[in-house]
Amino acid sequence: SGTVVGSMAAAIKEAWGIAPVLTVGTALGVAAAAGCGRYVIAKDEFTYFPLSLYNAMLSDPGTLKSALLGALTRALKGLQADHAAEWNSEIASRMREADALTQALEKVKRDMATAFAKGTETTELEAHAQGLQMQLERVRGHEFTAPFRPISFGSDSTPEAIVKRAATQGGRIALLSAEAGVLENLAGRYSEGNAKTEFLNQAFDGESYEGSRVSDDGRDIVNPWASLVLAIQPDALNIMLGSQVM
C-alpha cells in the first residue's frame, strides 16, 4: 500500500540519503515487474489494460541507485535462482514445440501450393493448416504463463534482444536498470540513430506485435506485456531529447 511504500522511502532516505521519489518509483517498478503478465487493470467489465509501468527517473551519480535497485529486487532474483532449472526446462520445451509446429505448418503450406497448382482438392490441407496455426498461437501466446525469468537486470539489451526474449516467455519482459544503456539502445545506438520502440509501444497497452524478419526474425507476439524502470543520469536525458520518437 501507499503507507508501506512511503514509510520504506522515508526509512531509506534516513539511512542512505536517497530521495523518496527515487525509492517510490523503483519500488512501483519492481511491483509492476513481478505482476507483469499476471494482472490486468480493469477500467470496466469490458475494458482491460495490462499492468505495465514505464518509469524513467533522473538520478545524479553517487546516489546509491544501484544499491537501491539491488535491495528491492533481491527477493525476485532469489526466486528466479531457486526455480531457474524448472523454468528454463519449461521454456525450452515450449520453444521446441513451437519450432516443430512451425516446420509442420510450413510443410502443409507447401503441400497446399502443390495441390493448388495441380488443381486438386485442398480442403483437408487447409483444415490441417488452421489447426497447426491454432496450436502454434497457443504455445506462443496468452495460454503460456511465463515465470519470473523475464525480468532482466542487465542495462544493455538491444531492441531486437528484448523482442526475442519476450517471444520465448509468453510475451513478457521487464527491464530494470540503474543505467541508461537500454534507453540509448532504444534511441538508436546501433541503428544509426533510428529509434526502435515499436515493441514497447505495443506492449504498453497490450496490442499485438507483428515482428520484422529483418530485425527480430519475424517474431509475432499476440499478447505483449512489459515493464521498464530506469534510473538515468541527467546527461543521458540528451538521448531522449535528440530522438523524435523517444
Side-chain angles (χ1 to χ4, degrees):
S1 68
T3 301
V4 172
V5 174
S7 299
M8 178 182 68
I12 290 176
K13 183 179 186 301
E14 181 177 353
W16 289 357
I18 296 176
V21 66
L22 183 59
T23 299
V24 172
T26 304
L28 291 175
V30 173
C36 182
R38 288 181 169 79
Y39 303 99
V40 296
I41 300 171
K43 180 180 179 182
D44 53 48
E45 61 180 316
F46 304 108
T47 309
Y48 298 87
F49 300 97
L51 179 61
S52 298
L53 176 66
Y54 292 4
N55 195 357
M57 300 165 289
L58 293 179
S59 178
D60 291 322
T63 54
L64 299 179
K65 56 184 180 178
S66 295
L68 174 66
L69 184 61
L72 294 181
T73 57
R74 188 172 295 121
L76 288 178
K77 286 183 176 181
L79 187 59
Q80 291 185 126
D82 290 344
H83 298 278
E86 173 189 348
W87 289 338
N88 288 343
S89 176
E90 172 67 15
I91 291 169
S93 175
R94 291 280 180 162
M95 292 177 65
R96 288 193 297 270
E97 185 178 359
D99 288 342
L101 287 169
T102 299
Q103 293 177 19
L105 181 58
E106 292 299 322
K107 181 180 183 303
V108 173
K109 288 180 177 179
R110 291 194 298 271
D111 292 344
M112 288 173 57
T114 300
F116 183 79
K118 293 180 178 180
T120 56
E121 180 63 44
T122 62
T123 302
E124 186 174 339
L125 288 171
E126 291 174 4
H128 187 30
Q130 185 177 10
L132 289 171
Q133 183 64 46
M134 292 175 62
Q135 293 181 59
L136 186 58
E137 290 176 359
R138 175 185 57 79
V139 171
R140 288 180 171 173
H142 65 280
E143 291 188 20
F144 174 33
T145 301
F148 278 98
R149 184 176 175 269
I151 298 173
S152 170
F153 299 95
S155 61
D156 200 32
S157 297
T158 64
E160 294 80 10
I162 291 171
V163 173
K164 290 177 181 179
R165 187 166 188 180
T168 66
Q169 300 174 134
R172 293 177 57 211
I173 189 75
L175 300 165
L176 289 78
S177 176
E179 304 297 336
V182 173
L183 181 63
E184 292 172 353
N185 293 342
L186 292 170
R189 175 194 284 177
Y190 302 118
S191 56
E192 300 180 348
N194 297 315
K196 293 186 176 181
T197 61
E198 292 86 355
F199 172 75
L200 291 177
N201 289 344
Q202 300 296 97
F204 186 76
D205 55 10
E207 287 188 52
S208 296
Y209 173 80
E210 295 184 2
S212 165
R213 294 194 178 278
V214 175
S215 62
D216 49 36
D217 300 335
R219 297 169 187 259
D220 294 341
I221 300 179
V222 179
N223 293 294
W225 302 71
S227 288
L228 175 68
V229 178
L230 306 175
I232 307 169
Q233 294 183 14
D235 289 345
L237 182 61
N238 292 329
I239 298 170
M240 287 193 294
L241 298 179
S243 171
Q244 293 182 355
V245 176
M246 296 298 287

